[in-house]
């Protein structure tokens, strides 16, 4: 008998839509895994009369949510966010993360920090023992200070590379640049590194997310989803 393989991202994203309750204000994360969540959420809104509104963490998510018919709000219009569902590039055993593969780290961190509950949806390949070995750490910087920030980041033990898209400098939704920082060793102390990076003048935000996630939904290709509370 042959078994068709499930897409782990879809498994996790769809499962996350079950966490949503009517009346909630939602933080809408960014990325391909979150897209599956948005599709399932839109389905629940359409079929089940679920009443929610979402604050998107990127222009990309805003556009997708609009197309799917998910009611939206800006951060200025809400006083609380009940639940945010977002993806990650790496997540460790303490639920600390590297995020920003899609370049949305700044708005993602703002929204996550305001959320009562943050659920992270990933395929099993994103779960790591220690951060920093499989994915470069994105750091958003103001273009004016890029070269000096690059030198300061290098002094912290990484190799920063300017992110490009289609051969041109990648520009975030906030009109900044991204330096992707490669480490040759695992990040020993994510909280200390986050503080050190944030202290560099010209840095807008780092993709280290420490202590922000409450639940991890890990999709597997056999169609199962592990849901683990912190
Ligand atoms: C965007 C992010 C994404 O959540 C992260 O890159 C994961 O993306 P995907 O689900 O497409 O693998 O942090 O800034």
């Amino acid at each position: 008998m042959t078994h068709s393989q499930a897409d782990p991202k879809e498994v996790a994203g769809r499962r996350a839509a079950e966490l949503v309750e009517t009346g909630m204000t939602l933080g809408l994360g960014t990325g391909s895994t979150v897209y599956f969540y948005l599709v399932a959420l839109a389905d629940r809104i359409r079929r089940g009369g679920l009443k929610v509104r979402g604050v998107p963490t990127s222009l990309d998510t805003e556009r997708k949510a609009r197309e799917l018919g998910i009611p939206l709000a800006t951060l200025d219009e809400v006083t609380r966010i009940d639940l945010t569902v977002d993806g990650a590039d790496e997540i460790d055993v303490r639920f600390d993360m590297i995020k920003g593969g899609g370049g949305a780290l700044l708005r993602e961190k703002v929204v996550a920090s305001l959320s009562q509950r943050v659920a992270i949806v990933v395929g099993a390949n994103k779960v790591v023992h220690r951060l920093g070995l499989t994915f470069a750490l994105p750091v958003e910087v103001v273009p004016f200070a890029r070269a000096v920030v690059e030198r300061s980041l290098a002094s912290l033990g990484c190799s920063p590379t300017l992110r490009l898209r289609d051969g041109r400098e990648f520009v975030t939704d906030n009109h900044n640049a991204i330096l992707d920082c490669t480490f040759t060793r695992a990040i020993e102390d994510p909280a200390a590194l986050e503080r050190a990076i944030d202290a560099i003048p010209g840095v807008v935000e780092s993709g280290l997310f420490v202590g922000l996630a409450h639940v991890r939904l890990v999709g597997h290709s056999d169609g199962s989803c592990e849901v683990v509370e912190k």
Side-chain angles (χ1 to χ4, degrees):
M1 198 168 84
T2 56
H3 295 276
S4 58
Q5 298 267 298
D7 179 346
K9 293 182 179 194
E10 182 168 6
V11 170
R14 288 194 163 276
R15 176 70 179 78
E18 295 172 23
L19 302 177
V20 178
E21 292 169 18
T22 203
M24 279 183 164
T25 298
L26 303 169
L28 305 176
T30 296
S32 53
T33 317
V34 163
Y35 181 66
F36 291 112
Y37 162 71
L38 297 178
V39 170
L41 178 65
D43 198 45
R44 282 196 63 195
I45 292 170
R46 238 184 351 261
R47 290 166 187 252
L50 191 70
K51 298 264 185 291
V52 292
R53 57 187 181 159
V55 178
T57 56
S58 62
L59 299 180
D60 183 56
T61 292
E62 181 179 338
R63 182 181 51 79
K64 287 171 177 160
R66 261 188 222 295
E67 283 169 8
L68 288 163
I70 298 170
L72 296 178
T74 66
L75 207 46
D76 296 343
E77 292 166 340
V78 305
T79 48
R80 59 180 274 153
I81 295 176
D82 300 292
L83 170 71
T84 288
V85 173
D86 205 347
D89 301 303
E90 287 187 346
I91 181 163
D92 72 10
V93 288
R94 289 174 304 199
F95 293 14
D96 292 340
M97 298 176 279
I98 287 181
K99 285 182 50 53
L105 57 145
L106 173 59
R107 296 188 190 192
E108 289 173 335
K109 199 181 278 191
V110 171
V111 168
S113 69
L114 296 169
S115 301
Q116 300 294 308
R117 195 161 148 80
V118 175
I120 300 299
V121 286
V122 287
N125 62 318
K126 303 285 189 74
V127 179
V128 297
H129 184 58
R130 310 271 293 284
L131 297 178
L133 292 177
T134 66
F135 202 88
L137 172 65
V139 177
E140 182 161 346
V141 301
V142 291
F144 170 76
R146 181 173 65 74
V148 282
V149 171
E150 208 168 324
R151 287 196 289 276
S152 301
L153 287 170
S155 75
L156 295 175
C158 63
S159 306
T161 308
L162 181 66
R163 186 179 294 187
L164 303 177
R165 180 184 277 173
D166 302 328
R168 306 177 69 141
E169 191 169 323
F170 177 87
V171 180
T172 69
D173 289 350
N174 320 295
H175 311 292
N176 293 314
I178 292 215
L179 292 168
D180 287 306
C181 301
T182 308
F183 290 82
T184 49
R185 288 196 224 146
I187 296 169
E188 287 291 328
D189 185 342
L193 181 62
E194 186 187 21
R195 282 194 297 275
I197 294 174
D198 284 352
I200 300 170
V203 165
V204 179
E205 195 51 82
S206 87
L208 275 170
F209 282 52
V210 178
L212 288 172
H214 302 94
V215 55
R216 191 173 79 176
L217 292 89
V218 182
H220 295 271
S221 54
D222 65 0
S224 65
C225 185
E226 267 171 89
V227 181
V228 185
E229 296 281 341
K230 192 169 171 188

